[in-house]
Amino acid sequence: MKPDDVGHLTDVSQPRLSPDGRRVAFVVTTVDLEENTYRSRVWLAATDGSTPPRPFSSGEHRDGSPRWSPDGRLIAFVSHRGDDGSEIYVLPVDTGGEAARLAAWPEEIDALEWSPDGARLAFAARDRDEDRYGKKEPKDQSPRRITRLFYRLDNAGFTVDRPRHLFVVPADGSARPRAVTSGPAGDDGLTWSPDGRTLAFGSARHERWDLDLAADIYTVDADLAGGPERMTDTSAVYSHPSFAPAGDSLAAYWTDTLVGPTHAQVVVLPAQGGAPRFLTRDLDRNCAPYPSAREPVWDGTDVLFAVEDAGNVHLFRVATDGDDKPRLVLGGDRTIAGFDARDGVVAFAATDPTTPSDLFVLVDGEERRLTTIGARFPERHDLSTPERFTALAPDGAEVEAWIMRPAGFAAGARYPTLLNIHGGPFTQYGNRFFDEFQVQTGAGYAVIYANPRGSSGYSEVWGRAIRGAKADVAPGSGWGGVDYDDLMAVSDEAVRRFDFVDGERLGVIGGSYGGYMTSWIIGHTDRFKAAISERAVNDVLALETASDFASAFRTEVGPSHLDDPDEYRRWSPIEHVKAMTTPLLILLSENDLRCPVAQAEALFVSLRML
């Protein structure tokens, strides 16, 4: 694969089953290299494979979030047809014709859902201060007054004057969207109660939300008969609610607040309030995979949810009306990239290391592939298939890793080899298509990647192994501790086990936390011949006051930067800059709010002076 081949990549995502389960709407995304942008359109497919999948929306823009009306006659979707904002369109499924625009909004519309009677649609979108944003030139805008932490977000910009709220719009377009929630708090996710009276959503509306980091599930009358009512106890992060078909309960995700990282758990909440019932603790796996896990999906009295597991993302089912343990629905060496379920039919998108995502269904225990959109890419390109291996860290921990041979591999030859390190750190590498690895093998490199301690996809103990040594709960080695040992062990094992790996020509590359580890590694060893540190964390103390997540890194470090600044310095690669002799390329984005430009500049200036 060559860099220009990204123009041939596709992505199949967001499957949604029709009310009768006979059809599925989904989104196909392509790359427009000439315009340097993505295009996406809604497609339709018959779940029994009786007719070929076909495009449904025009594809001239970015269309997504398809949602079937309760009677199955219409599909609503979100479209981006101008330079700014988004719009809601509705299109008849069988008769075709022009799409009717229901609403336009100056911000991104998400969490779109029909009311159970089909008369309204609810959506979530940022509600911005038009007195400020009506003036396009920043110099003409009034100043912002900041009184809470987390007032901006990477990829979104300032959020303090653009909180996400819930809105309702008539399905016939007879009126403009009407706000259902308001105020400074942001709202995420939404679900209608089966009687159509109530919306449930996640929000942090208490006074100390930016300090204790908790969030609750709220309900609100869709007709504005009263303000939001809190369902949960503000003891954790509750998110992604989903009403049961009977309306007597909701499923949601639960995550601990001040002890990171923590496995997200699926819980059931009584609709009238009460303690959550945990359904997934026996799994000891993260049940809300990054990025953007979908809400738990009800199928009768069961809920379905995705699980990160040893480099894969699998689909599980658990009963909510008994004591049954979660059961595997879809496994294998692959990533389930989206799913929906109805009356025993499961529609899902899946990808593996050599195939971009395609659409599948599971009916009566039998899988059926509905599209070959992603499957066309490996037919046209010479791709490398990863080989799994394990390495033993100095303390005996077994680390899962993979290696990919370079394109045009010849037995007996030795190849320069790249160690790739994922971001997070609480994320995972594994069995999904990743274009960067294929481009690197296409350029003649062998590629190594791994899930060292601190990664998701394994036990919570594994994920928490690099918490700070001074943390009150589950102390660990800190970043740059056992994760460094694990990555060095993986590199050593690859050189020992695979004779095509040239141990004298090793490179290391990573982004975000992977950039952190790249910078850390070259401050502690000179065994790599070159390194690329991308959008990296280099000064953890500075990051704790300058990132969009400023103050939240204490959840892993332990003490705050006010109480123990030296602990943050101890974690920082910049403290070891005088030991760095490896040739280094520093890549950054000027508008990155998670790992701000100053993180890269600090390392560059120090190295240049040396």
Side-chain angles (χ1 to χ4, degrees), residues 243-361:
F243 262 109
D248 58 344
S249 60
L250 297 93
Y253 293 121
W254 174 98
T255 310
D256 200 353
T257 54
L258 295 177
V259 182
T262 297
H263 284 164
Q265 305 287 346
V266 179
V267 298
V268 170
L269 304 165
Q272 302 306 315
R277 184 157 56 90
F278 289 80
L279 304 179
T280 55
R281 279 180 164 160
D282 287 344
L283 283 177
D284 196 15
R285 290 292 185 273
N286 182 39
C287 298
Y290 177 85
S292 61
R294 191 186 167 184
E295 73 278 1
V297 174
W298 288 87
D299 188 18
T301 58
D302 291 358
V303 291
L304 280 78
F305 55 97
V307 172
E308 291 181 310
D309 188 15
N312 303 300
V313 176
H314 292 155
L315 191 65
F316 277 74
R317 173 190 295 269
V318 65
T320 63
D321 58 354
D323 296 325
D324 290 348
K325 293 184 177 181
R327 310 184 304 278
L328 180 68
V329 177
L330 294 167
D333 288 337
R334 58 183 173 177
T335 291
I336 306 301
F339 69 96
D340 197 22
R342 188 178 296 272
D343 297 329
V345 176
V346 179
F348 63 99
T351 173
D352 62 44
T354 59
T355 314
S357 55
D358 263 317
L359 181 70
F360 302 78
V361 290

Side-chain angles (χ1 to χ4, degrees), residues 59-330:
E60 298 175 5
H61 314 283
R62 285 192 297 119
D63 300 336
S65 301
R67 301 292 186 268
W68 294 85
S69 62
D71 61 11
R73 294 175 51 248
L74 305 170
I75 290 179
F77 60 94
V78 176
S79 187
H80 304 78
R81 304 194 174 193
D83 294 334
D84 298 308
S86 52
E87 301 161 305
I88 299 174
Y89 283 85
V90 171
L91 188 60
V93 175
D94 295 317
T95 59
E98 288 294 321
R101 190 179 78 169
L102 295 190
W105 201 255
E107 297 270 358
E108 179 72 24
I109 292 172
D110 55 24
L112 181 67
E113 297 294 343
W114 288 85
S115 63
D117 63 3
R120 296 173 290 179
L121 289 112
F123 66 91
R126 294 198 177 278
D127 192 6
R128 66 191 193 184
D129 180 354
E130 287 300 335
D131 287 341
R132 174 177 293 116
Y133 287 96
K135 301 169 183 176
K136 292 189 176 181
E137 293 294 331
K139 67 183 179 63
D140 297 326
Q141 297 175 358
S142 58
R144 295 174 176 85
R145 183 168 185 259
I146 309 300
T147 60
R148 295 287 189 274
L149 304 172
F150 312 111
Y151 52 87
R152 52 188 184 149
L153 183 65
D154 196 31
N155 289 326
F158 280 103
T159 57
V160 63
D161 50 5
R162 302 162 52 232
R164 183 182 283 107
H165 289 148
L166 306 188
F167 300 84
V168 170
V169 62
D172 61 4
S174 59
R176 292 171 56 84
R178 172 177 52 82
V180 179
T181 60
S182 60
D187 308 319
D188 289 304
L190 65 88
T191 179
W192 286 91
S193 62
D195 62 10
R197 291 181 173 182
T198 303
L199 291 168
F201 60 96
S203 187
R205 292 174 166 256
H206 57 289
E207 178 64 24
R208 291 177 57 83
W209 65 268
D210 60 329
L211 299 175
D212 62 27
L213 308 182
D216 286 296
I217 301 297
Y218 285 81
T219 58
V220 65
D221 191 298
D223 293 316
L224 297 180
E229 296 185 5
R230 181 168 55 86
M231 292 185 61
T232 48
D233 60 2
T234 321
S235 63
V237 176
Y238 291 91
S239 66
H240 296 80
S242 177
F243 262 109
D248 58 344
S249 60
L250 297 93
Y253 293 121
W254 174 98
T255 310
D256 200 353
T257 54
L258 295 177
V259 182
T262 297
H263 284 164
Q265 305 287 346
V266 179
V267 298
V268 170
L269 304 165
Q272 302 306 315
R277 184 157 56 90
F278 289 80
L279 304 179
T280 55
R281 279 180 164 160
D282 287 344
L283 283 177
D284 196 15
R285 290 292 185 273
N286 182 39
C287 298
Y290 177 85
S292 61
R294 191 186 167 184
E295 73 278 1
V297 174
W298 288 87
D299 188 18
T301 58
D302 291 358
V303 291
L304 280 78
F305 55 97
V307 172
E308 291 181 310
D309 188 15
N312 303 300
V313 176
H314 292 155
L315 191 65
F316 277 74
R317 173 190 295 269
V318 65
T320 63
D321 58 354
D323 296 325
D324 290 348
K325 293 184 177 181
R327 310 184 304 278
L328 180 68
V329 177
L330 294 167

Side-chain angles (χ1 to χ4, degrees), residues 18-38:
S18 61
D20 61 9
R22 297 172 61 186
R23 288 180 286 191
V24 56
F26 58 102
V27 176
V28 177
T29 301
T30 57
V31 179
D32 185 338
L33 285 183
E34 185 174 337
E35 295 295 328
N36 191 29
T37 191
Y38 293 100

Side-chain angles (χ1 to χ4, degrees), residues 310 386-389 400-403 429-431 447-449 451 458:
E387 304 167 45
R388 180 186 175 275
F389 69 99
E400 190 165 31
W402 294 262
I403 189 166
Y429 271 154
N431 292 310
V447 167
I448 306 168
Y449 54 100
N451 287 326
Y458 304 85

Side-chain angles (χ1 to χ4, degrees), residues 444-605:
Y445 294 94
V447 167
I448 306 168
Y449 54 100
N451 287 326
R453 275 171 282 187
S455 302
S456 59
Y458 304 85
S459 70
E460 198 163 70
V461 170
W462 187 268
R464 290 181 169 185
I466 57 172
R467 283 173 51 78
K470 297 183 178 181
D472 292 334
V473 178
S477 71
W479 293 6
V482 294
D483 46 352
Y484 170 80
D485 294 339
D486 292 352
L487 290 166
M488 293 304 97
V490 165
S491 301
D492 290 342
E493 180 63 19
V495 172
R496 185 192 68 80
R497 182 180 301 201
F498 302 102
D499 59 7
F500 59 87
V501 172
D502 189 341
E504 298 301 315
R505 290 190 293 166
L506 296 178
V508 58
I509 180 173
S512 194
Y513 162 80
Y516 165 94
M517 279 306 307
T518 299
S519 298
W520 182 270
I521 283 170
I522 65 171
H524 290 77
T525 180
D526 60 1
R527 69 173 302 181
F528 293 94
K529 295 302 181 185
I532 301 178
S533 182
E534 302 181 65
R535 56 192 183 282
V537 177
N538 294 307
D539 185 336
V540 181
L541 180 61
L543 192 76
E544 186 66 327
T545 57
S547 170
D548 64 334
F549 275 12
S551 81
F553 294 94
R554 64 192 161 97
T555 64
E556 295 195 31
V557 177
S560 78
H561 74 286
L562 301 173
D563 294 328
D564 195 345
D566 286 341
E567 182 70 354
Y568 289 74
R569 294 187 183 99
R570 187 182 71 81
W571 284 36
S572 298
I574 196 74
E575 297 293 316
H576 305 277
V577 67
K578 290 185 177 181
M580 297 181 185
T581 59
T582 303
L584 176 67
L585 174 64
I586 302 172
L587 295 179
L588 63 143
S589 297
E590 292 182 14
N591 294 327
D592 192 336
L593 298 180
R594 187 65 43 84
C595 300
V597 59
Q599 291 284 320
E601 291 171 332
L603 186 58
F604 166 73
V605 169

